[in-house]
Amino acid sequence: GQNIDQPTEMTATEGAIVQINCTYQTSGFNGLFWYQQHAGEAPTFLSYNVLDGLEEKGRFSSFLSRSKGYSYLLLKELQMKDSASYLCAVRDERADKLIFGTGTRLQVFP
Amino acid sequence: GAVVSQHPSWVICKSGTSVKIECRSLDFQATTMFWYRQFPKQSLMLMATSNEGSKATYEQGVEKDKFLINHASLTLSTLTVTSAHPEDSSFYICSARGGRGASQETQYFGPGTRLLVL
């Protein structure tokens, strides 16, 4: 079956670091994506991992371990505008589609 | 680069009418387009996948006669909600995957269309 798990909600303070975890069990794997979605808006692409390891892009980093079916998104120097939902999605190679987790709603407080 | 547009952004219609939503990839050719629906505080639910020039593949539970998808060119896909009812009210989002001019792995999302059926 297909299953992607991420925490429902997280809170953090401005300037801090937060790590959002994602575990997955899918029938096929061809990459893991992280998207950011502000309320009422469409998702915007943040990162893509297909090989194990850490991908860094400015304040955001994403890590993947394929053997553990695990990824995390790391957000540094949090800003108020980072308050949003963060969606973990796995590309199922066989079905050729993205399978989304339920998303993690992050609230950043001053 | 890799911009996807959707039109309209808002639709309010009476029950029983049909609504057409357009999705365009503006600066790349999208070999595959996806249509999603999202209810408040829920994640994206894939409705169908369409490849240019071929019939769409619908997810289980999605009525293909109710949600008509046309992907006539590499830059345009349309979703028509036929005989819309209040339960069809939702946020409809398309995404596109390249193609020439964009990453072949990444899906880029349009801004979404909010549909309210009275």
Side-chain angles (χ1 to χ4, degrees):
Chain A
Q2 319 275 42
N3 197 40
I4 299 180
D5 283 319
Q6 25 177 160
T8 308
E9 290 187 355
M10 296 183 73
T11 59
T13 308
E14 201 174 12
I17 299 173
V18 72
Q19 177 174 312
I20 303 174
N21 296 323
C22 171
T23 57
Y24 64 88
Q25 291 176 310
T26 55
S27 55
F29 179 85
N30 193 22
L32 186 143
F33 296 80
W34 284 95
Y35 286 87
Q36 180 192 61
Q37 186 178 26
H38 283 100
E41 298 179 14
T44 54
F45 169 73
L46 289 178
S47 68
Y48 167 61
N49 294 66
V50 67
L51 299 175
D52 291 351
L54 188 69
E55 293 278 343
E56 295 187 73
K57 202 187 277 189
R59 294 190 297 117
F60 294 2
S61 304
S62 57
F63 171 83
L64 175 67
S65 168
R66 288 172 296 169
S67 61
K68 294 181 180 174
Y70 167 70
S71 173
Y72 67 72
L73 179 69
L74 192 71
L75 294 78
K76 301 177 192 172
E77 299 168 21
L78 279 173
Q79 301 174 9
M80 298 296 290
K81 67 178 183 179
D82 297 329
S83 294
S85 285
Y86 291 85
L87 309 176
C88 172
V90 171
R91 184 171 173 188
D92 185 321
E93 185 178 26
R94 281 186 233 164
D96 192 28
K97 61 185 180 183
L98 283 184
I99 301 162
F100 280 88
T102 51
T104 298
R105 244 186 330 271
L106 173 68
Q107 273 191 295
V108 180
F109 292 100
Chain B
V3 177
V4 177
S5 72
Q6 259 182 264
H7 178 79
S9 52
W10 266 99
V11 182
I12 301 174
C13 68
K14 291 182 182 178
S15 187
T17 59
S18 292
V19 175
K20 182 190 266 189
I21 303 169
E22 289 188 353
C23 176
R24 292 181 187 270
S25 56
L26 297 185
D27 50 3
F28 68 103
Q29 292 180 335
T31 50
T32 308
M33 285 186 169
F34 304 84
W35 286 95
Y36 293 84
R37 183 165 51 179
Q38 187 176 36
F39 293 104
K41 297 194 176 180
Q42 295 186 24
S43 191
L44 299 167
M45 298 298 295
L46 180 65
M47 298 174 68
T49 303
S50 75
N51 292 296
E52 183 261 341
S54 59
K55 286 185 182 178
T57 303
Y58 289 81
E59 294 298 298
Q60 200 170 9
V62 178
E63 300 173 57
K64 62 179 181 181
D65 294 329
K66 179 166 182 66
F67 299 99
L68 302 177
I69 290 170
N70 184 282
H71 190 167
S73 78
L74 284 172
T75 59
L76 173 65
S77 176
T78 60
L79 167 69
T80 302
V81 183
T82 61
S83 187
H85 290 287
E87 58 266 28
D88 298 323
S89 299
S90 188
F91 190 41
Y92 291 86
I93 312 173
C94 75
S95 72
R97 193 175 69 205
R100 216 166 23 168
S103 161
Q104 305 231 358
E105 295 87 14
T106 303
Q107 281 186 33
Y108 299 94
F109 285 84
T113 297
R114 203 163 294 283
L115 171 64
L116 178 61
V117 185
L118 302 175

